[in-house]
Amino acid sequence: MAVGWAQRYAVIDGAHGQALVVAPSDRDLARQLRGERTFHCTTRAGGCGQVLILRAGDVNIPHFAHLSSDRHCDADADRWTHLHVQGLLHAWLTNVGRNVSIEHEIPGGRL
């Protein structure tokens, strides 16, 4: 079974979160982390908002999976990549002294 991009990502700040994490490729680290955090499939990446589990078996590389195998989810690699790049840009701009927010809602619509 090939592990897709979406299965490599999750968020740790709730169903609508943006604190992105990547499943570690190290099995021992993945096994340690899976009991320390609650992972979600974020709606910000088109996901379903449900809890994900971090699988770290002996065959496949560590990856996230939905608790229910019959869950349909529309999250895709491009959306996860977009979310990841937003986080990197936010961190960089904050480091250089800018006050920024991600996808800030503007009353009345667009600029």
XYZ file of all heavy atoms in Angstrom:
857
model
N 0.840 -1.183 0.000
C 0.000 0.000 0.000
C 0.877 1.235 0.000
O 1.697 1.435 0.876
C -0.880 -0.014 1.256
C -1.629 1.263 1.489
S -2.570 1.123 3.021
C -2.358 2.756 3.643
N 0.718 2.087 -0.973
C 1.465 3.334 -1.026
C 0.804 4.359 -0.118
O -0.410 4.445 -0.046
C 1.505 3.855 -2.457
N 1.611 5.129 0.566
C 1.084 6.152 1.453
C 1.109 7.475 0.718
O 2.144 7.936 0.283
C 1.906 6.230 2.761
C 1.408 7.347 3.638
C 1.838 4.906 3.490
N -0.062 8.101 0.562
C -0.170 9.366 -0.144
C 0.215 10.543 0.734
O 0.393 10.423 1.936
N 0.345 11.698 0.099
C 0.709 12.923 0.812
C -0.236 13.216 1.965
O 0.194 13.546 3.054
C 0.689 14.106 -0.149
C 1.904 14.188 -0.998
C 2.060 13.670 -2.252
C 3.138 14.804 -0.662
N 3.312 13.944 -2.709
C 3.992 14.638 -1.762
C 3.599 15.485 0.453
C 5.290 15.131 -1.766
C 4.881 15.976 0.441
C 5.715 15.798 -0.655
N -1.533 13.110 1.734
C -2.503 13.480 2.763
C -2.364 12.597 3.993
O -2.616 13.040 5.101
C -3.924 13.413 2.212
N -1.942 11.367 3.808
C -1.796 10.467 4.943
C -0.529 10.751 5.741
O -0.355 10.221 6.811
C -1.798 9.021 4.460
C -3.145 8.604 3.921
C -3.081 7.239 3.285
O -2.139 6.931 2.563
N -4.071 6.431 3.554
N 0.342 11.599 5.241
C 1.567 11.949 5.953
C 1.365 13.154 6.862
O 2.225 13.472 7.655
C 2.693 12.252 4.955
C 3.068 11.086 4.069
C 3.954 10.088 4.739
N 5.192 10.727 5.117
C 5.948 10.323 6.127
N 5.598 9.284 6.826
N 7.051 10.951 6.437
N 0.233 13.870 6.715
C 0.004 15.104 7.457
C -1.204 15.016 8.389
O -2.157 14.304 8.108
C -0.239 16.268 6.492
C 0.944 16.604 5.624
C 0.999 16.161 4.311
C 1.994 17.367 6.116
C 2.077 16.465 3.503
C 3.077 17.673 5.314
C 3.116 17.230 4.013
O 4.190 17.531 3.220
N -1.133 15.799 9.462
C -2.251 15.970 10.391
C -2.049 17.316 11.071
O -1.021 17.971 10.880
C -2.270 14.844 11.422
N -3.031 17.733 11.851
C -2.871 18.933 12.681
C -3.068 18.545 14.136
O -3.719 17.545 14.443
C -3.850 20.067 12.282
C -3.530 20.609 10.901
C -5.295 19.626 12.378
N -2.494 19.356 15.029
C -2.567 19.039 16.459
C -3.376 20.063 17.245
O -3.433 19.985 18.468
C -1.154 18.902 17.072
C -0.326 20.165 16.829
C -0.464 17.669 16.546
C 1.010 20.175 17.548
N -4.008 21.015 16.532
C -4.774 22.041 17.247
C -6.264 21.988 16.918
O -6.933 22.995 16.844
C -4.198 23.429 17.004
C -4.097 23.804 15.537
O -4.187 22.908 14.672
O -3.921 25.005 15.248
N -6.788 20.796 16.731
C -8.225 20.617 16.572
C -8.684 20.431 15.141
O -7.921 20.543 14.188
N -9.969 20.153 14.999
C -10.565 19.810 13.706
C -10.430 20.906 12.660
O -10.362 20.634 11.468
C -12.045 19.468 13.899
N -10.382 22.166 13.085
C -10.263 23.291 12.157
C -8.879 23.924 12.256
O -8.679 25.066 11.862
C -11.344 24.328 12.446
C -12.718 23.735 12.520
N -13.348 23.177 11.424
C -13.561 23.574 13.559
C -14.523 22.708 11.794
N -14.674 22.927 13.084
N -7.918 23.178 12.782
C -6.597 23.712 13.082
C -5.682 23.889 11.882
O -5.982 23.476 10.765
N -4.541 24.519 12.178
C -3.535 24.743 11.150
C -2.127 24.430 11.644
O -1.161 24.667 10.928
C -3.610 26.177 10.640
C -3.385 27.219 11.702
C -3.740 28.602 11.221
O -4.589 28.775 10.346
N -3.083 29.604 11.766
N -1.986 23.888 12.871
C -0.683 23.499 13.396
C -0.312 22.142 12.793
O -0.588 21.081 13.355
C -0.696 23.446 14.912
N 0.302 22.198 11.637
C 0.588 21.019 10.825
C 1.739 20.201 11.385
O 2.744 20.749 11.845
C 0.936 21.487 9.412
C 1.095 20.439 8.340
C -0.260 19.852 7.985
C 1.733 21.064 7.110
N 1.592 18.888 11.348
C 2.672 17.969 11.697
C 2.797 16.931 10.588
O 1.829 16.604 9.912
C 2.452 17.266 13.058
C 2.514 18.249 14.197
C 1.156 16.500 13.080
N 4.009 16.437 10.418
C 4.290 15.402 9.428
C 4.608 14.127 10.187
O 5.356 14.154 11.172
C 5.491 15.798 8.538
C 5.792 14.711 7.518
C 5.241 17.131 7.855
N 4.063 13.026 9.738
C 4.365 11.738 10.377
C 5.869 11.478 10.262
O 6.421 11.535 9.169
C 3.582 10.615 9.712
N 6.539 11.238 11.379
C 7.979 10.990 11.309
C 8.267 9.672 10.601
O 7.510 8.713 10.721
C 8.409 10.939 12.772
C 7.178 10.632 13.536
C 6.026 11.168 12.735
N 9.351 9.647 9.845
C 9.691 8.410 9.146
C 10.303 7.376 10.087
O 10.297 6.184 9.792
C 10.644 8.695 7.976
O 11.792 9.365 8.443
N 10.805 7.813 11.221
C 11.379 6.908 12.214
C 10.252 6.219 12.983
O 9.458 6.870 13.653
C 12.272 7.706 13.167
C 12.906 6.832 14.221
O 12.260 6.626 15.279
O 14.028 6.350 13.993
N 10.180 4.895 12.891
C 9.103 4.131 13.517
C 9.066 4.289 15.042
O 8.007 4.402 15.634
C 9.235 2.652 13.168
C 8.773 2.295 11.789
C 9.103 0.825 11.485
N 8.584 0.287 10.265
C 8.726 0.785 9.045
N 9.351 1.909 8.880
N 8.229 0.182 7.977
N 10.234 4.268 15.676
C 10.271 4.383 17.135
C 9.749 5.744 17.591
O 8.990 5.833 18.557
C 11.691 4.155 17.658
C 12.157 2.723 17.467
O 11.291 1.812 17.462
O 13.373 2.501 17.313
N 10.139 6.797 16.888
C 9.647 8.132 17.220
C 8.149 8.223 16.991
O 7.414 8.770 17.811
C 10.381 9.189 16.393
C 9.947 10.634 16.621
C 10.103 11.034 18.082
C 10.743 11.564 15.712
N 7.673 7.657 15.892
C 6.234 7.669 15.602
C 5.463 6.928 16.690
O 4.416 7.392 17.145
C 5.966 7.041 14.237
N 5.971 5.802 17.124
C 5.301 5.030 18.178
C 5.258 5.807 19.485
O 4.282 5.732 20.232
C 5.995 3.685 18.362
C 5.759 2.747 17.199
C 6.568 1.472 17.294
N 6.277 0.626 16.144
C 7.149 -0.207 15.591
N 8.374 -0.331 16.081
N 6.800 -0.932 14.553
N 6.308 6.566 19.763
C 6.348 7.384 20.971
C 5.340 8.530 20.872
O 4.621 8.810 21.834
C 7.752 7.948 21.157
C 7.897 8.877 22.337
C 9.283 9.508 22.406
O 10.207 9.102 21.714
N 9.415 10.514 23.238
N 5.260 9.176 19.719
C 4.388 10.341 19.549
C 2.906 10.003 19.543
O 2.087 10.821 19.952
C 4.725 11.069 18.244
C 6.038 11.812 18.200
C 6.263 12.388 16.825
C 6.066 12.909 19.252
N 2.558 8.821 19.099
C 1.128 8.533 18.931
C 0.351 8.532 20.237
O -0.847 8.722 20.236
C 0.909 7.253 18.141
C 1.323 5.997 18.807
C 1.008 4.823 17.901
N 1.749 3.654 18.318
C 1.927 2.600 17.589
N 1.417 2.542 16.382
N 2.620 1.588 18.035
N 1.003 8.367 21.356
C 0.307 8.433 22.627
C 0.360 9.803 23.284
O -0.275 10.034 24.298
N 1.119 10.733 22.695
C 1.328 12.042 23.308
C 0.403 13.134 22.787
O 0.269 14.169 23.422
C 2.776 12.493 23.092
C 3.789 11.616 23.787
C 5.221 12.049 23.511
O 5.422 13.060 22.797
O 6.134 11.370 23.999
N -0.190 12.951 21.650
C -0.986 14.006 21.003
C -2.275 13.434 20.439
O -2.381 12.246 20.182
C -0.222 14.621 19.827
C 1.035 15.337 20.179
C 0.723 16.743 20.532
N 1.961 17.498 20.671
C 1.985 18.769 20.870
N 0.879 19.446 20.918
N 3.121 19.394 21.023
N -3.224 14.345 20.193
C -4.421 13.996 19.430
C -4.261 14.656 18.073
O -3.979 15.854 17.982
C -5.699 14.511 20.116
O -5.791 13.903 21.407
C -6.935 14.167 19.303
N -4.404 13.880 17.010
C -4.225 14.359 15.646
C -5.582 14.457 14.953
O -6.460 13.639 15.191
C -3.318 13.404 14.864
C -1.986 13.162 15.519
C -1.758 12.001 16.242
C -0.972 14.093 15.413
C -0.534 11.769 16.855
C 0.263 13.873 16.016
C 0.481 12.712 16.740
N -5.723 15.457 14.088
C -6.980 15.650 13.355
C -6.723 15.816 11.863
O -5.664 16.264 11.441
C -7.716 16.896 13.854
C -8.367 16.719 15.167
N -7.716 16.935 16.356
C -9.621 16.344 15.486
C -8.538 16.690 17.357
N -9.706 16.333 16.852
N -7.734 15.496 11.094
C -7.783 15.737 9.657
C -8.444 17.106 9.487
O -9.663 17.225 9.601
C -8.606 14.641 8.983
S -8.757 14.832 7.204
N -7.655 18.144 9.268
C -8.179 19.503 9.341
C -9.126 19.871 8.202
O -8.901 19.519 7.048
C -7.046 20.538 9.403
O -7.609 21.838 9.564
C -6.183 20.522 8.159
N -10.160 20.586 8.560
C -11.100 21.096 7.556
C -10.444 22.173 6.700
O -10.887 22.442 5.592
C -12.351 21.679 8.233
O -11.962 22.716 9.137
C -13.112 20.604 8.982
N -9.364 22.784 7.173
C -8.656 23.811 6.400
C -7.963 23.237 5.172
O -7.586 23.973 4.271
C -7.639 24.538 7.264
C -8.274 25.456 8.266
C -7.199 26.168 9.057
N -7.787 27.115 9.956
C -7.701 28.427 9.804
N -7.055 28.938 8.796
N -8.262 29.222 10.675
N -7.774 21.936 5.142
C -7.190 21.276 3.970
C -8.255 20.480 3.221
O -7.947 19.576 2.458
C -6.042 20.354 4.389
N -9.509 20.800 3.477
C -10.598 20.081 2.826
C -10.929 18.768 3.495
O -11.698 17.970 2.971
N -10.355 18.541 4.670
C -10.575 17.291 5.381
C -11.890 17.269 6.128
O -12.679 18.216 6.099
N -12.106 16.192 6.843
C -13.389 15.938 7.502
C -13.430 16.391 8.953
O -14.482 16.396 9.570
C -13.702 14.452 7.423
S -12.448 13.419 8.218
N -12.281 16.758 9.545
C -12.248 17.202 10.931
C -12.180 16.086 11.950
O -12.140 16.337 13.151
N -12.147 14.852 11.493
C -12.149 13.709 12.411
C -10.764 13.436 12.996
O -9.748 13.893 12.477
C -12.640 12.457 11.677
C -14.065 12.569 11.183
C -15.048 12.734 12.324
O -15.027 11.980 13.295
N -15.912 13.733 12.216
N -10.749 12.678 14.074
C -9.499 12.280 14.720
C -8.758 11.296 13.822
O -9.363 10.416 13.197
C -9.780 11.640 16.098
C -8.524 11.045 16.700
C -10.381 12.670 17.044
N -7.439 11.466 13.760
C -6.569 10.549 13.023
C -5.697 9.793 14.018
O -5.396 10.306 15.095
C -5.657 11.316 12.058
C -6.328 12.127 10.967
C -5.283 12.935 10.199
C -7.099 11.229 10.021
N -5.289 8.601 13.637
C -4.332 7.849 14.445
C -3.013 7.787 13.679
O -2.991 7.824 12.446
C -4.839 6.428 14.776
C -5.176 5.645 13.505
C -6.025 6.487 15.712
C -5.490 4.186 13.764
N -1.929 7.735 14.417
C -0.602 7.623 13.815
C -0.221 6.151 13.811
O 0.003 5.559 14.863
C 0.407 8.459 14.599
C 1.854 8.444 14.135
C 1.971 8.775 12.644
C 2.686 9.405 14.962
N -0.209 5.579 12.635
C 0.144 4.163 12.503
C 1.640 4.034 12.279
O 2.214 4.758 11.478
C -0.615 3.536 11.342
C -2.087 3.437 11.618
C -2.762 2.539 10.638
N -4.154 2.366 11.032
C -5.102 1.995 10.210
N -4.821 1.761 8.945
N -6.333 1.852 10.645
N 2.249 3.091 12.973
C 3.690 2.882 12.864
C 3.985 1.400 12.982
O 4.542 0.929 13.965
C 4.413 3.675 13.950
N 3.593 0.664 11.962
C 3.816 -0.781 11.958
C 5.192 -1.153 11.436
O 6.058 -0.301 11.258
N 5.373 -2.414 11.157
C 6.669 -2.912 10.694
C 6.786 -2.984 9.177
O 7.866 -3.246 8.665
C 6.920 -4.308 11.286
C 7.091 -4.252 12.792
O 7.621 -3.239 13.287
O 6.678 -5.211 13.467
N 5.685 -2.750 8.435
C 5.718 -2.889 6.975
C 5.708 -1.534 6.278
O 6.634 -1.185 5.559
C 4.541 -3.763 6.483
C 4.544 -3.857 4.971
C 4.607 -5.147 7.114
N 4.645 -0.761 6.481
C 4.510 0.541 5.829
C 5.216 1.627 6.630
O 5.429 1.480 7.837
C 3.036 0.925 5.675
C 2.315 -0.016 4.737
O 2.857 -0.438 3.731
N 1.078 -0.346 5.072
N 5.550 2.712 5.953
C 6.134 3.844 6.663
C 5.074 4.444 7.578
O 3.879 4.317 7.310
C 6.691 4.904 5.692
C 5.584 5.489 4.816
C 7.825 4.355 4.858
C 6.032 6.674 3.986
N 5.474 5.077 8.681
C 4.486 5.688 9.577
C 3.602 6.680 8.816
O 4.083 7.435 7.963
C 5.352 6.398 10.618
C 6.615 5.592 10.653
C 6.834 5.200 9.216
N 2.316 6.651 9.132
C 1.350 7.522 8.462
C 0.121 7.691 9.343
O -0.090 6.936 10.282
C 0.962 6.956 7.092
C 0.260 5.641 7.168
N 0.944 4.448 7.352
C -1.049 5.319 7.107
C 0.072 3.452 7.394
N -1.152 3.950 7.251
N -0.673 8.704 9.004
C -1.920 8.949 9.716
C -3.059 8.231 9.006
O -3.045 8.083 7.788
C -2.219 10.446 9.782
C -1.224 11.200 10.607
C -0.212 11.924 10.006
C -1.292 11.172 11.992
C 0.720 12.614 10.761
C -0.362 11.858 12.759
C 0.646 12.581 12.145
N -4.038 7.798 9.780
C -5.206 7.121 9.220
C -6.440 7.525 10.026
O -6.355 7.806 11.220
C -5.021 5.609 9.260
N -7.578 7.546 9.349
C -8.842 7.814 10.038
C -9.194 6.622 10.922
O -8.872 5.481 10.581
C -9.958 8.052 9.025
C -9.818 9.344 8.293
N -9.056 9.467 7.160
C -10.334 10.567 8.540
C -9.112 10.719 6.741
N -9.880 11.417 7.554
N -9.820 6.896 12.042
C -10.229 5.816 12.936
C -11.221 4.884 12.249
O -11.168 3.683 12.418
C -10.862 6.390 14.210
C -9.897 7.015 15.198
C -10.659 7.695 16.329
C -8.965 5.962 15.764
N -12.111 5.450 11.464
C -13.113 4.658 10.761
C -12.673 4.460 9.316
O -12.408 5.421 8.599
C -14.467 5.375 10.797
O -15.394 4.682 9.997
N -12.596 3.224 8.878
C -12.138 2.944 7.510
C -13.166 3.331 6.456
O -12.836 3.433 5.283
C -11.783 1.462 7.374
O -12.921 0.669 7.628
N -14.425 3.566 6.850
C -15.442 3.923 5.862
C -15.636 5.442 5.757
O -16.533 5.916 5.093
C -16.784 3.249 6.179
C -17.355 3.681 7.527
O -16.696 4.452 8.235
O -18.463 3.233 7.855
N -14.772 6.208 6.392
C -14.851 7.670 6.366
C -14.388 8.182 5.007
O -13.310 7.874 4.556
C -13.989 8.241 7.490
C -13.661 9.684 7.410
C -14.683 10.695 7.805
N -15.354 10.521 9.040
C -16.600 10.963 9.210
N -17.254 11.518 8.231
N -17.185 10.832 10.363
N -15.249 8.969 4.337
C -14.853 9.607 3.073
C -14.303 10.985 3.394
O -14.918 11.749 4.116
C -16.044 9.734 2.116
C -15.692 10.478 0.873
N -14.898 9.926 -0.095
C -15.985 11.731 0.473
C -14.739 10.816 -1.065
N -15.390 11.917 -0.736
N -13.160 11.295 2.849
C -12.496 12.548 3.151
C -11.953 13.153 1.860
O -11.388 12.445 1.030
C -11.361 12.275 4.129
S -10.553 13.760 4.675
N -12.127 14.470 1.705
C -11.705 15.143 0.481
C -10.376 15.875 0.601
O -10.016 16.651 -0.283
C -12.782 16.148 0.037
C -14.030 15.461 -0.458
O -13.908 14.361 -1.028
O -15.131 16.008 -0.268
N -9.635 15.666 1.679
C -8.331 16.318 1.811
C -7.414 15.798 0.701
O -7.442 14.628 0.350
C -7.722 16.013 3.177
N -6.610 16.700 0.132
C -5.667 16.253 -0.894
C -4.307 16.904 -0.692
O -4.143 17.814 0.114
C -6.205 16.505 -2.305
C -6.365 17.965 -2.664
O -5.634 18.809 -2.119
O -7.219 18.259 -3.512
N -3.317 16.426 -1.414
C -1.933 16.861 -1.229
C -1.762 18.358 -1.436
O -1.030 19.015 -0.693
C -1.025 16.080 -2.173
N -2.400 18.925 -2.441
C -2.242 20.355 -2.711
C -2.725 21.198 -1.540
O -2.121 22.206 -1.192
C -2.993 20.760 -3.980
C -2.340 20.237 -5.241
O -1.143 19.883 -5.186
O -3.022 20.186 -6.274
N -3.812 20.802 -0.926
C -4.342 21.567 0.210
C -3.426 21.472 1.423
O -3.213 22.443 2.134
C -5.745 21.093 0.558
C -6.755 21.443 -0.517
C -8.101 20.882 -0.190
N -9.066 21.215 -1.215
C -10.277 20.712 -1.262
N -10.679 19.855 -0.344
N -11.107 21.052 -2.221
N -2.870 20.282 1.669
C -1.940 20.118 2.787
C -0.680 20.930 2.521
O -0.140 21.565 3.423
C -1.588 18.643 2.988
C -2.673 17.846 3.634
C -3.516 16.968 3.025
C -3.059 17.852 5.004
N -4.386 16.427 3.933
C -4.131 16.946 5.153
C -2.603 18.528 6.123
C -4.742 16.704 6.384
C -3.220 18.280 7.350
C -4.275 17.382 7.463
N -0.204 20.915 1.280
C 0.980 21.694 0.928
C 0.715 23.183 1.131
O 1.549 23.909 1.673
C 1.397 21.410 -0.532
O 1.663 20.015 -0.658
C 2.631 22.200 -0.921
N -0.457 23.651 0.714
C -0.840 25.050 0.891
C -0.817 25.422 2.370
O -0.268 26.470 2.755
C -2.234 25.267 0.294
C -2.754 26.650 0.442
N -2.446 27.658 -0.442
C -3.561 27.200 1.380
C -3.046 28.767 -0.062
N -3.733 28.516 1.043
N -1.382 24.578 3.205
C -1.414 24.830 4.637
C 0.001 24.867 5.212
O 0.334 25.728 6.030
C -2.253 23.754 5.340
C -2.527 23.947 6.825
C -3.347 25.208 7.067
C -3.269 22.740 7.370
N 0.850 23.958 4.762
C 2.235 23.899 5.231
C 2.995 25.173 4.844
O 3.700 25.764 5.670
C 2.917 22.657 4.656
C 4.343 22.510 5.062
N 4.727 22.293 6.368
C 5.481 22.561 4.347
C 6.041 22.207 6.429
N 6.522 22.370 5.224
N 2.843 25.608 3.608
C 3.529 26.814 3.139
C 3.025 28.042 3.890
O 3.805 28.929 4.244
C 3.378 26.970 1.608
C 3.883 28.322 1.140
C 4.130 25.855 0.893
N 1.734 28.106 4.177
C 1.198 29.213 4.973
C 1.890 29.278 6.335
O 2.251 30.354 6.807
C -0.293 29.044 5.207
C -1.156 29.470 4.069
C -2.638 29.315 4.405
O -3.020 28.436 5.185
N -3.448 30.148 3.813
N 2.057 28.133 6.954
C 2.709 28.086 8.265
C 4.154 28.536 8.206
O 4.629 29.273 9.077
N 4.870 28.107 7.169
C 6.267 28.526 6.999
C 6.367 30.028 6.771
O 7.224 30.706 7.352
C 6.910 27.780 5.830
C 7.113 26.277 6.006
C 7.600 25.658 4.706
C 8.083 25.992 7.137
N 5.501 30.563 5.926
C 5.497 31.990 5.643
C 5.157 32.793 6.900
O 5.796 33.804 7.202
C 4.503 32.302 4.521
C 4.429 33.745 4.054
C 5.775 34.228 3.530
C 3.351 33.887 2.969
N 4.170 32.318 7.658
C 3.792 32.985 8.910
C 4.969 33.014 9.881
O 5.272 34.057 10.481
C 2.583 32.286 9.539
C 2.114 32.928 10.796
N 2.609 32.567 12.030
C 1.210 33.917 11.010
C 2.021 33.298 12.959
N 1.170 34.126 12.367
N 5.659 31.888 10.036
C 6.799 31.812 10.954
C 7.922 32.751 10.513
O 8.513 33.459 11.345
C 7.308 30.370 11.037
N 8.208 32.784 9.225
C 9.276 33.640 8.718
C 8.944 35.118 8.928
O 9.766 35.888 9.412
C 9.530 33.351 7.236
C 10.540 34.267 6.626
C 11.882 34.299 6.874
C 10.272 35.308 5.685
N 12.462 35.295 6.141
C 11.508 35.926 5.395
C 9.110 35.766 5.059
C 11.603 36.977 4.500
C 9.225 36.813 4.160
C 10.457 37.410 3.897
N 7.731 35.518 8.574
C 7.336 36.924 8.733
C 7.304 37.331 10.199
O 7.691 38.458 10.547
C 5.972 37.170 8.077
C 5.983 37.146 6.550
C 4.563 37.152 5.997
C 6.793 38.312 5.993
N 6.879 36.433 11.066
C 6.885 36.717 12.498
C 8.313 36.892 12.999
O 8.606 37.797 13.790
C 6.163 35.602 13.278
O 4.814 35.511 12.797
C 6.138 35.883 14.768
N 9.232 36.047 12.521
C 10.644 36.130 12.916
C 11.300 37.436 12.498
O 12.227 37.895 13.156
C 11.447 34.968 12.342
C 11.433 33.760 13.242
O 11.028 33.837 14.392
N 11.894 32.650 12.710
N 10.861 38.020 11.402
C 11.453 39.285 10.950
C 10.680 40.486 11.487
O 10.867 41.609 11.030
C 11.593 39.357 9.406
C 12.540 38.278 8.907
C 10.249 39.284 8.707
N 9.797 40.252 12.463
C 9.137 41.333 13.163
C 7.802 41.797 12.611
O 7.281 42.827 13.025
N 7.218 41.056 11.699
C 5.921 41.438 11.133
C 4.785 40.846 11.970
O 4.886 39.745 12.485
C 5.784 40.939 9.692
C 6.837 41.440 8.765
C 6.640 42.893 8.498
N 7.615 43.334 7.522
C 7.615 44.533 7.027
N 6.716 45.412 7.399
N 8.535 44.892 6.162
N 3.696 41.580 12.071
C 2.501 41.098 12.746
C 1.549 40.577 11.664
O 0.976 41.377 10.925
C 1.855 42.218 13.556
C 0.652 41.747 14.336
O 0.446 40.554 14.512
N -0.145 42.681 14.791
N 1.431 39.283 11.553
C 0.645 38.687 10.472
C -0.371 37.698 11.008
O -0.243 37.193 12.114
C 1.558 37.973 9.438
C 2.457 38.953 8.741
C 2.379 36.879 10.088
N -1.386 37.427 10.196
C -2.347 36.372 10.501
C -2.576 35.578 9.218
O -2.372 36.087 8.125
C -3.665 36.946 11.023
O -4.284 37.750 10.049
N -2.992 34.353 9.375
C -3.219 33.480 8.219
C -4.695 33.510 7.870
O -5.550 33.293 8.720
C -2.762 32.046 8.523
C -1.251 32.036 8.734
C -3.160 31.097 7.400
C -0.694 30.698 9.110
N -4.968 33.779 6.590
C -6.327 33.810 6.069
C -7.249 34.623 6.971
O -8.292 34.161 7.398
C -6.850 32.397 5.829
C -6.076 31.684 4.749
C -6.697 30.368 4.320
O -7.835 30.062 4.713
O -6.032 29.649 3.572
N -6.829 35.825 7.241
C -7.600 36.745 8.076
C -8.884 37.125 7.342
O -8.862 37.522 6.195
C -6.773 37.996 8.370
C -7.460 38.983 9.227
N -7.585 38.812 10.587
C -8.078 40.141 8.939
C -8.234 39.835 11.092
N -8.556 40.657 10.098
N -10.018 36.972 8.024
C -11.291 37.305 7.417
C -11.501 38.812 7.446
O -11.350 39.468 8.469
C -12.436 36.617 8.153
C -13.768 36.756 7.445
C -14.842 35.897 8.067
O -14.515 34.790 8.536
O -15.996 36.335 8.087
N -11.852 39.356 6.284
C -12.087 40.789 6.146
C -13.591 41.011 6.103
O -14.273 40.471 5.228
C -11.417 41.326 4.870
C -9.913 41.091 4.928
C -11.763 42.807 4.669
C -9.189 41.361 3.644
N -14.125 41.820 7.042
C -15.576 42.088 7.037
C -16.003 42.670 5.683
O -15.371 43.571 5.155
C -15.763 43.103 8.148
C -14.567 42.937 9.029
C -13.445 42.517 8.132
N -17.042 42.114 5.119
C -17.539 42.615 3.835
C -16.901 41.971 2.629
O -17.185 42.335 1.495
N -15.984 41.042 2.829
C -15.426 40.325 1.676
C -13.977 40.649 1.382
O -13.200 40.906 2.275
N -13.666 40.652 0.104
C -12.279 40.786 -0.344
C -11.806 42.228 -0.353
O -12.589 43.151 -0.331
C -12.155 40.227 -1.762
C -12.503 38.778 -1.846
C -12.483 38.337 -3.283
N -12.873 36.947 -3.365
C -12.190 36.036 -3.990
N -11.093 36.352 -4.614
N -12.594 34.799 -4.013
N -10.491 42.389 -0.456
C -9.888 43.716 -0.604
C -10.130 44.260 -1.982
O -10.164 43.596 -2.943
C -8.366 43.642 -0.368
C -7.944 43.408 1.058
C -6.441 43.211 1.115
C -8.334 44.572 1.941
